[in-house]
C-alpha cells in the first residue's frame, strides 16, 4: 500500500459517496424517510483510531441528517469477549463526543436467530455437518474451482433438527459439529459455498451466561441484527464487500417469514479502512502487546487505541480533524501518522498554555545577579489566543537550562549557549556565558553567565539582536517532574507488510524514554489529569492520569516539529 499524502489545505467541500447515497435515499423517501445507522463493535478489545473513523461515520451521518445511531455490541464469540471491553467502548464513544440512542447486543437476538436457523433447517436450507472445520475448509474449492459437497449435505431434515438442538444442549464438544447454510458449493462467491452459520462454544457468555452453547457466526448475526433493529444504512469497511451478497441473502430469507415488514431492508455500504503508518491496528496484535507487557496496557500512550491516544494527550477535536482530512473513499490506503500528529499540533497550538520545563537540566548561575533577589516576570499563556491571560514566572540567580542548549566548543551555527556568546533567556534578559565548572570526569556541573540589566524583555534595550532564545526555570521556584518521552511504537512504516517477520521484531526500542530529573515551572503545581500544555521550544505534553501533586508526570504528545520526516529524508 502506498502512503497517502494530503496537503493540509486540502479540505473536502463536496459530499462524500455515503452522503450522496443517503441524500438520494432520503429524497426518494426510501424506508419511509428514516435514517438509522449503528456502530457495531465486537467487545473483544479496546477501540482504536480505525474504529474512531467508523464511529465518526455512523454517528456523524445520523447527526448530520437528523437520523439515529445506535450502539450494538456484536457479542457472538464469548471466548474472546469481556465486560471490561464493553465499558471502555462506551467511554471512548462518549469521549469522542457522540451519544447513541439505544444500546443493543447481538446476544439480545440469540433466540430469534436460533428460531430462524431452525426455520432454515425445516425448509432444507441448512444442515448439521459433523466434519471438522479443517475438512470443511479443504472442500471449499477455489474461486475458479467448485467446492465438494459435504457427506452430510443431504442428511434428513429431522436429523439436522435434532443435532442442532443437541449442539445447543452442552452435550456436543466444541468443534464436533457446525450448522451450515445449504446454498451453492459452486458459487463464484466463496461465501455462498455452504457457509458455517453456527458453532459450539462452551465458554460462558458475559451477558447470557451458560444459556447458549450454539453461537451464530458473524455473517448469520450481523445483517439480521441490522434488520431486527430497523437499520437503514449499514456502514462498514471494504473487507465486507464480498460478504454483502450473503448479507442480502439471509435478509431475503428472513423477510419471507416477515411479510408484514413490507419494503424495508437494510443496505450495506462499505468505505475504506483507516490504516496508520508506524503502528499495528489488529486487535489480536494489540492484545498481544498488552498481554506480553510490551506496553503498559490498552491505554499505553504509544497504543493506537482511543484510550492510548487520550492518555498521550490527543483531544477529540484533533481526532475529528484527522478523520475529516483523510475522508471516506472506496479505496484502501495507508494513512500517514504525520497527518495525525499535524492535527494535534494544530489543535493544541490554539489551546495549550505555554509553560517552561527543563527536561535534562544543568545549573546556570548568573554570577552578577544579586543573591536573594527574586523577580516576578510576566509570561503570556498563549500568544495564539487573543483571550488568553498571563502567568508569573520567577527569575533568580540560579536557574536550570537544558544540557543540550550548551556546548563548550560549538560550531558556528550553534545559536544556543557557548562561552563568550550572548543568548536571550526567554521573558528575561540577555546573558553572556563566561565559563563552566566540571567534575572529575569532565562532566559539566555548572555553567556561568553574566546578565545585562538593560536587556530585560519589554525594555528598549531588549531589541538588541541575539541569535538564540533559551527556556529556563528557577532552581528555587521550579518543581521536580517525571517526563515520559513517547515516540512511534514501530520502526517501519507498515509493520503488517513485513510478512516474513514477527511484528514484535519491528518495535522501536526508543519508543519510551523516561526523564526523571525534569524541572517545571511552579504554575504546574496543581494540574489535572489529561490537561495539555506546550513546553516551550520542546513540544506538547499532557498530564498523565498517574500524576499527583508532588509527583508530577507529563507525557509527550508530540514534538513541536516533525523530526521524523527530517530523519527519513537524510
Ligand atoms: P476484529 O473483527 O478483528 O475483532 P475489527 O477491527 O473488525 O476487529 P469490530 O469490533 O468488528 O473490530 O469493528 C467494529 C466496526 O469498526 C466495524 O464496522 C468495522 O468495519 C469498523 N472498523 C474496524 N477497524 C476499522 C478501521 N481500521 N477503519 C475503519 N473502520 C474500522
Ligand atoms: Mg470485525
Amino acid at each position: 500500500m502506498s502512503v497517502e499524502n494530503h496537503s493540509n489545505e486540502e479540505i473536502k467541500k463536496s459530499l462524500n459517496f455515503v452522503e450522496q447515497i443517503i441524500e438520494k435515499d432520503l429524497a426518494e423517501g426510501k424506508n419511509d424517510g428514516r435514517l438509522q445507522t449503528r456502530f457495531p463493535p465486537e467487545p473483544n478489545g479496546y477501540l482504536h483510531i480505525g474504529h474512531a473513523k467508523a464511529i465518526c461515520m455512523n454517528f456523524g451521518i445520523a447527526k448530520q441528517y437528523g437520523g439515529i445511531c445506535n450502539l450494538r455490541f456484536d457479542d457472538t464469540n464469548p471466548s474472546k469477549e469481556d465486560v471490561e471491553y464493553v465499558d471502555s467502548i462506551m467511554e471512548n464513544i462518549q469521549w469522542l463526543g457522540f451519544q447513541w440512542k439505544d444500546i443493543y447486543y447481538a446476544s439480545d437476538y440469540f433466540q430469534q436467530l436460533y428460531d430462524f436457523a431452525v426455520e432454515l433447517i425445516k425448509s432444507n436450507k441448512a444442515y448439521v455437518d459433523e466434519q471438522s472445520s479443517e475438512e470443511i475448509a479443504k472442500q471449499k474449492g477455489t474461486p475458479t474451482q467448485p467446492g465438494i459437497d459435504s457427506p452430510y449435505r443431504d442428511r434428513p431434515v429431522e436429523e439436522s433438527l435434532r443435532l442442532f438442538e443437541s449442539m445447543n444442549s452442552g452435550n456436543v464438544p466444541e468443534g464436533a459439529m457446525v450448522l451450515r447454510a445449504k446454498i451453492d458449493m459452486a458459487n463464484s462467491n466463496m461465501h455462498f459455498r455452504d457457509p458455517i452459520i453456527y458453532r459450539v462454544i462452551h465458554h460462558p457468555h458475559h451477558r447470557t451466561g451458560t444459556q447458549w452453547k450454539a453461537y451464530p457466526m458473524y455473517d448469520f448475526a450481523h445483517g439480521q441484527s441490522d434488520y431486527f433493529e430497523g437499520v437503514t444504512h449499514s456502514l462498514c469497511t471494504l473487507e465486507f464487500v464480498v460478504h454483502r451478497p450473503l448479507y442480502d441473502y439471509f435478509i431475503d430469507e428472513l423477510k419471507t417469514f416477515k411479510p408484514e415488514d413490507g419494503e424495508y431492508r437494510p443496505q450495506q455500504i462499505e468505505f475504506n479502512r483507516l490504516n496508520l503508518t508506524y503502528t499495528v491496528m489488529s486487535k489480536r496484535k494489540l492484545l498481544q502487546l498488552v498481554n506480553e507487557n510490551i506496553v503498559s496496557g490498552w491505554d499505553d500512550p504509544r497504543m493506537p487505541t482511543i484510550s492510548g491516544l487520550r492518555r498521550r494527550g490527543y483531544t477529540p477535536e484533533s481526532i475529528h480533524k484527522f478523520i475529516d482530512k483523510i475522508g471516506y473513499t472506496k479505496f484502501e490506503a495507508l494513512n500517514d501518522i504525520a497527518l495525525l500528529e499535524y492535527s494535534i499540533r494544530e489543535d493544541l497550538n490554539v489551546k495549550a498554555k505555554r509553560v517552561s520545563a527543563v527536561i535534562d537540566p544543568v545549573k546556570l548561575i548568573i554570577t552578577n545577579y544579586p543573591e536573594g533577589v527574586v523577580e516576578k516576570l510576566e509570561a503570556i499563556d498563549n500568544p495564539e489566543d487573543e483571550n488568553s491571560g498571563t502567568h508569573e514566572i520567577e527569575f533568580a540567580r540560579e536557574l536550570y537550562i537544558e544540557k543540550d542548549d550548551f556546548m563548550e566548543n560549538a560550531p558556528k551555527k550553534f545559536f544556543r549557549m557557548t562561552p563568550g556568546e550572548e543568548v536571550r533567556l526567554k521573558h528575561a534578559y540577555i546573558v553572556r556565558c563566561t565559563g563552566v565548572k566540571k567534575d572529575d570526569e569532565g562532566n559539566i556541573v555548572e555553567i556561568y553567565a553574566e546578565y545585562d540589566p538593560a536587556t530585560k524583555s519589554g525594555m528598549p534595550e531588549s531589541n538588541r539582536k541575539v541569535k538564540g532564545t533559551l527556556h529556563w526555570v528557577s532552581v528555587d521556584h521550579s518543581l521536580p517532574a517525571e517526563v515520559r518521552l513517547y515516540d512511534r511504537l514501530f520502526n517501519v512504516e507498515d509493520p503488517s507488510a513485513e510478512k516474513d517477520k514477527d511484528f514484535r521484531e519491528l518495535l522501536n526500542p526508543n519508543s519510551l524514554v523516561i526523564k526523571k530529573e525534569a524541572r517545571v515551572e511552579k504554575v504546574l503545581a496543581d494540574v489535572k489529569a489529561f490537561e495539555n500544555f506546550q513546553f516551550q521550544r520542546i513540544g506538547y505534553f499532557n498530564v498523565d492520569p498517574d500524576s499527583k501533586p508532588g509527583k508530577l508526570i507529563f507525557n509527550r504528545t508530540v514534538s513541536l516539529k516533525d523530526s521524523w520526516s527530517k530523519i527519513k529524508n537524510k
Side-chain angles (χ1 to χ4, degrees):
M1 266 190 285
S2 62
V3 181
E4 273 197 342
N5 281 309
H6 296 257
S7 73
N8 301 326
E9 290 70 39
E10 191 180 309
I11 301 164
K12 336 165 267 133
K13 294 214 172 61
S14 52
L15 296 181
N16 67 44
F17 76 97
V18 180
E19 291 166 329
Q20 286 173 17
I21 294 171
I22 285 176
E23 291 206 355
K24 184 165 176 286
D25 289 351
L26 290 175
E28 288 172 0
K30 215 167 158 183
N31 303 307
D32 302 323
R34 281 191 314 112
L35 170 63
Q36 184 174 327
T37 60
R38 84 288 168 264
F39 174 63
E42 185 180 352
N44 61 352
Y46 277 58
L47 297 180
H48 53 59
I49 177 93
H51 294 112
K53 177 171 178 174
I55 290 170
C56 287
M57 169 55 96
N58 281 292
F59 285 95
I61 208 126
K63 205 170 179 176
Q64 192 178 335
Y65 292 101
I68 57 174
C69 179
N70 295 315
L71 171 58
R72 179 175 74 240
F73 290 101
D74 248 341
D75 55 348
T76 53
N77 184 356
S79 54
K80 290 191 175 157
E81 295 159 8
D82 199 276
V83 279
E84 178 196 349
Y85 301 135
V86 170
D87 294 342
S88 74
I89 288 170
M90 296 196 284
E91 229 180 83
N92 287 166
I93 295 172
Q94 289 176 321
W95 180 74
L96 282 172
F98 293 111
Q99 187 55 52
W100 49 86
K101 169 127 190 326
D102 291 305
I103 297 186
Y104 296 112
Y105 294 83
S107 53
D108 292 339
Y109 313 126
F110 282 168
Q111 188 63 53
Q112 274 163 284
L113 291 169
Y114 185 88
D115 294 345
F116 178 41
V118 168
E119 290 303 331
L120 287 180
I121 300 171
K122 283 185 184 159
S123 357
N124 200 17
K125 287 178 175 164
Y127 60 96
V128 169
D129 195 330
E130 290 171 61
Q131 302 179 99
S132 69
S133 51
E134 291 77 24
E135 274 168 306
I136 292 173
K138 268 192 242 153
Q139 297 162 355
K140 271 248 146 153
T142 67
T144 50
Q145 263 184 325
I148 299 163
D149 284 4
S150 159
Y152 298 98
R153 195 170 203 262
D154 291 316
R155 78 187 323 160
V157 164
E158 291 67 36
E159 211 174 274
S160 280
L161 278 176
R162 188 169 46 75
L163 289 172
F164 185 48
E165 206 172 302
S166 67
M167 274 174 67
N168 198 37
S169 68
N171 298 328
V172 171
E174 290 188 10
M177 293 175 197
V178 292
L179 183 68
R180 296 175 72 180
K182 191 193 279 192
I183 311 180
D184 177 5
M185 287 305 289
N187 201 294
S188 59
N189 183 330
M190 304 285 284
H191 294 281
F192 274 112
R193 296 187 183 176
D194 291 10
I196 296 173
I197 58 175
Y198 264 89
R199 60 195 189 289
V200 176
I201 300 175
H202 286 277
H203 195 283
H205 188 280
H206 62 100
R207 290 189 76 235
T208 56
T210 53
Q211 191 187 346
W212 300 92
K213 298 287 186 299
Y215 286 92
M217 301 295 289
Y218 172 87
D219 280 323
F220 196 70
H222 197 89
Q224 287 95 305
S225 302
D226 284 345
Y227 186 88
F228 296 143
E229 287 165 14
V231 168
T232 58
H233 298 80
S234 181
L235 309 170
C236 62
T237 36
L238 283 171
E239 71 270 25
F240 293 104
V241 168
V242 287
H243 294 251
R244 195 196 321 137
L246 190 57
Y247 177 101
D248 288 333
Y249 171 89
F250 285 130
I251 285 172
D252 285 338
E253 290 297 324
L254 190 58
K255 281 182 78 67
T256 61
F257 301 104
K258 296 181 177 291
E260 68 281 8
D261 288 353
E263 294 293 300
Y264 160 70
R265 63 179 306 134
Q267 178 189 358
Q268 179 180 304
I269 303 167
E270 311 85 7
F271 59 86
N272 63 331
R273 295 176 74 85
L274 188 163
N275 300 296
L276 207 54
T277 55
Y278 298 100
T279 192
V280 293
M281 213 93 92
S282 124
K283 276 192 232 166
R284 183 179 57 78
K285 288 179 182 164
L286 295 177
L287 180 64
Q288 218 173 332
L289 293 174
V290 173
N291 285 346
E292 294 173 15
N293 295 319
I294 295 169
V295 295
S296 65
W298 283 99
D299 69 344
D300 185 296
R302 292 165 292 182
M303 292 281 269
T305 52
I306 296 176
S307 301
L309 289 166
R310 177 177 187 220
R311 189 164 178 182
R312 178 78 171 254
Y314 276 81
T315 58
E317 294 77 17
S318 66
I319 294 173
H320 285 272
K321 274 185 195 165
F322 171 62
I323 288 166
D324 273 353
K325 278 185 190 118
I326 60 173
Y328 298 89
T329 73
K330 280 273 183 195
F331 309 98
E332 288 299 359
L334 192 56
N335 304 113
D336 193 341
I337 199 170
L339 189 64
L340 178 66
E341 293 170 347
Y342 172 84
S343 304
I344 186 65
R345 278 194 200 100
E346 193 185 39
D347 191 41
L348 293 181
N349 182 39
V350 293
K351 287 182 185 163
K353 186 172 187 166
R354 272 59 170 167
V355 296
S356 294
V358 177
I359 290 179
D360 252 326
V362 59
K363 226 180 223 184
L364 170 69
I365 299 176
I366 314 293
T367 49
N368 61 341
Y369 195 86
E371 275 183 60
V373 171
V374 179
E375 261 181 282
K376 299 213 185 269
L377 305 175
E378 197 179 32
I380 296 171
D381 288 339
N382 186 349
E384 301 294 325
D385 173 6
E386 47 186 50
N387 299 320
S388 85
T390 59
H391 64 275
E392 265 179 5
I393 46 172
E394 288 88 357
F395 185 84
R397 189 170 189 267
E398 296 202 353
L399 310 174
Y400 287 118
I401 62 167
E402 299 285 353
K403 278 186 188 147
D404 271 0
D405 279 339
F406 176 83
M407 224 172 160
E408 206 173 5
N409 300 304
K412 257 212 157 71
K413 291 230 157 128
F414 186 79
F415 297 134
R416 292 175 265 173
M417 188 170 281
T418 187
E421 298 298 325
E422 287 192 326
V423 286
R424 171 169 290 284
L425 297 178
K426 193 157 177 73
H427 304 303
Y429 299 95
I430 292 175
V431 299
R432 181 186 300 276
C433 177
T434 53
V436 295
K437 179 168 124 190
K438 293 182 187 173
D439 65 12
D440 295 343
E441 279 139 37
N443 302 308
I444 293 167
V445 288
E446 277 176 6
I447 302 169
Y448 304 109
E450 288 178 356
Y451 86 119
D452 179 348
T455 59
K456 187 167 176 179
S457 287
M459 286 165 57
E461 267 291 298
S462 73
N463 289 333
R464 194 154 100 210
K465 284 270 172 295
V466 283
K467 288 231 165 90
T469 299
L470 308 186
H471 63 275
W472 52 272
V473 294
S474 156
V475 169
D476 288 337
H477 306 90
S478 60
L479 306 165
E482 177 176 320
V483 173
R484 298 176 180 169
L485 301 175
Y486 289 104
D487 205 342
R488 295 172 183 181
L489 191 49
F490 288 90
N491 263 332
V492 297
E493 199 164 69
D494 190 2
S496 312
E498 315 253 336
K499 299 285 181 222
D500 51 335
K501 290 212 181 89
D502 184 309
F503 75 106
R504 290 164 297 183
E505 291 170 34
L506 306 169
L507 287 161
N508 173 7
N510 303 316
S511 60
L512 170 59
V513 175
I514 300 179
K515 299 285 183 182
K516 290 191 180 277
E517 309 288 326
R519 305 287 304 191
V520 299
E521 63 171 279
K522 251 171 48 186
V523 74
L524 297 177
D526 301 312
V527 290
K528 287 183 220 61
F530 301 110
E531 245 185 295
N532 303 95
F533 294 95
Q534 187 195 90
F535 287 1
Q536 297 186 89
R537 296 182 61 233
I538 306 175
Y540 292 101
F541 290 74
N542 84 334
V543 181
D544 190 82
D546 289 344
S547 181
K548 289 187 240 353
K551 201 184 174 309
L552 299 172
I553 305 172
F554 295 92
N555 299 325
R556 179 168 68 194
T557 310
V558 69
S559 58
L560 280 188
K561 292 201 186 83
D562 180 1
S563 54
W564 271 72
S565 54
K566 261 185 272 162
I567 296 169
K568 269 199 303 187
N569 295 336
K570 258 187 193 162

